[in-house]
Amino acid sequence: MRVTEDAARTEEFERLRPLLFSIAYRILGSVAEAEDAVQETWLRYQAGPAEPLSLKAYLSAVVTRLSIDVLRSARVRREAYVGPWFPEPLLADPYQDPERAAELADSVSMAALLLLERLSPLERAVFVLREVFAFDFPEVAAAVGRSQAACRQLAVRARRHMAEGRPRFEADRREREQLADRFFEAFRAGDLDGLRQLLAADVQLVGDSGGKAPQWASVIAGAATVSRLLSVLVPPFVRIGGVVEQHEVNGQPGAIFRDHDGRVVNTLVLDILDGQVQTIRSVTNPDKLTHVGPVADAWTVVRETLRERRRPPRTA
């Protein structure tokens, strides 16, 4: 009988795991920390003597409170972070809700997660539960351990902060994907003019290396500068066996860069609006890429790429 009860508990938890991870990731911006929070939630549920009235409400509350605690300590570490800090790239959001697909995709974008960094941990948790996952205020209040009135005030403040810099993306996903295809085609070919036409005049290329991987600069701005940099570096990377693998990253068009052995060099994600690429964000910090796959030595890849770039053109 006990084995049957344990199996049923495990099955119910696994059914809710995608939701729990998605809540934790949006609060923390870290795949590894979100997975740890979900695992700790399971351990607490497993050790609990009684079955809660609403398993979804109970587990959501546990993972939210754990995530708030982790975020409070993480914010201190992020203040000492070397260079720009980005969330860990997410290749696929495990939680699916067709009725809220657009909100879910936008809320997990790099731009949205960076905006969430401006909120206090409590504001962030309330915003995620209420605005992203449509929890009602009694559920939100129970999850964060505050009154409903306090949660309504937190929600108002969070919405105001988010509205001030809310990211905008190409509304038509098909158009966005078609533009991304054209971008990566020009990208691989080193097509300077083709790249420049697809970039907004004030486009920004920003990288997160954490001081642990090559970093060209904190921010590179302007269509001419960005297109020139991309057009001279990517072709030699491809010639040494590097692969630019198109892949959705954080709900937006992006790519995974792999070396000749298939190891991950970095991820890249595009913000597209009004038919142009507005921002390009790259994550090269190896600590943030281990969940994507085996990580390459980026320093070696860069040296090989630069050596190939300096090599005289091959003749037929």
Side-chain angles (χ1 to χ4, degrees):
M1 184 68 177
R2 179 64 183 174
V3 173
T4 303
E5 291 177 356
D6 288 346
R9 274 194 152 203
T10 301
E11 183 178 345
E12 284 299 295
F13 183 87
E14 290 303 319
R15 181 177 63 83
L16 290 167
R17 181 186 288 272
L19 171 64
L20 302 178
F21 173 86
S22 296
I23 290 172
Y25 178 77
R26 285 167 173 80
I27 294 174
L28 293 167
S30 165
V31 172
E33 289 174 346
E35 289 174 343
D36 288 345
V38 172
Q39 182 61 23
E40 180 62 25
T41 299
W42 161 247
L43 294 175
R44 295 192 183 191
Y45 171 52
Q46 193 178 41
E51 195 70 18
L53 292 177
S54 169
L55 185 58
K56 175 185 173 183
Y58 169 77
L59 294 177
S60 298
V62 173
V63 81
T64 296
R65 292 188 185 190
L66 288 169
S67 298
I68 289 172
D69 289 342
V70 172
L71 181 60
R72 284 174 174 148
S73 60
R75 287 166 75 94
V76 176
R77 295 195 303 273
R78 289 173 192 175
E79 289 175 358
Y81 195 80
V82 178
W85 179 92
F86 291 160
E88 290 183 7
L90 183 69
L91 301 187
D93 189 355
Y95 180 72
Q96 303 295 323
D97 182 349
E99 294 184 0
R100 300 185 63 79
E103 294 95 328
L104 289 169
D106 287 352
S107 69
V108 83
S109 70
M110 287 275 185
L113 292 171
L114 288 171
L115 269 181
L116 284 170
E117 285 290 306
R118 303 179 185 180
L119 307 182
S120 71
L122 273 177
E123 287 173 342
R124 184 165 181 166
V126 168
F127 183 88
V128 167
L129 293 175
R130 177 64 181 168
E131 301 299 322
V132 178
F133 294 99
F135 280 50
D136 60 32
F137 275 110
E139 292 174 315
V140 175
V144 302
R146 296 292 189 275
S147 68
Q148 290 186 46
C151 287
R152 290 180 189 276
Q153 291 179 345
L154 288 166
V156 168
R157 288 204 299 269
R159 280 196 298 268
R160 184 172 64 247
H161 288 311
M162 293 297 288
E164 290 172 357
R166 183 178 295 279
R168 295 171 58 227
F169 305 109
E170 192 71 55
D172 189 315
R173 292 185 67 86
R174 185 175 179 182
E175 289 184 11
R176 184 174 64 188
E177 290 166 2
Q178 288 175 342
L179 189 143
D181 288 342
R182 290 164 53 203
F183 172 86
F184 283 112
E185 183 178 351
F187 190 68
R188 295 185 185 94
D191 181 354
L192 178 62
D193 292 335
L195 283 169
R196 188 180 297 151
Q197 291 172 13
L198 297 172
L199 300 177
D202 57 350
V203 65
Q204 290 191 337
L205 172 61
V206 192
D208 172 352
S209 70
K212 299 182 178 182
Q215 179 71 40
W216 44 78
S218 295
V219 180
I220 297 174
T225 305
V226 171
S227 59
R228 186 166 56 251
L229 175 67
L230 298 180
S231 66
V232 299
L233 287 183
V234 178
F237 170 74
V238 173
R239 289 199 299 271
I240 65 170
V243 175
V244 181
E245 175 187 314
Q246 279 184 247
H247 200 295
E248 189 173 89
V249 179
N250 287 81
Q252 306 297 317
I256 303 169
F257 286 60
R258 300 183 185 274
D259 70 3
H260 53 75
D261 292 321
R263 294 171 299 192
V264 179
V265 179
N266 71 299
T267 62
L268 183 145
V269 62
L270 310 177
D271 287 352
I272 297 173
L273 180 65
D274 298 331
Q276 292 182 309
V277 176
Q278 307 289 330
T279 309
I280 304 171
R281 294 185 178 87
S282 172
V283 175
T284 56
N285 184 341
D287 296 343
K288 294 185 176 185
L289 299 173
T290 54
H291 64 284
V292 179
V295 180
D297 180 349
W299 297 100
T300 298
V301 172
V302 167
R303 283 196 298 270
E304 292 177 353
T305 299
L306 294 176
R307 189 181 304 123
E308 176 63 27
R309 183 188 166 216
R310 291 191 294 266
R311 194 185 301 274
R314 297 183 179 123
T315 57

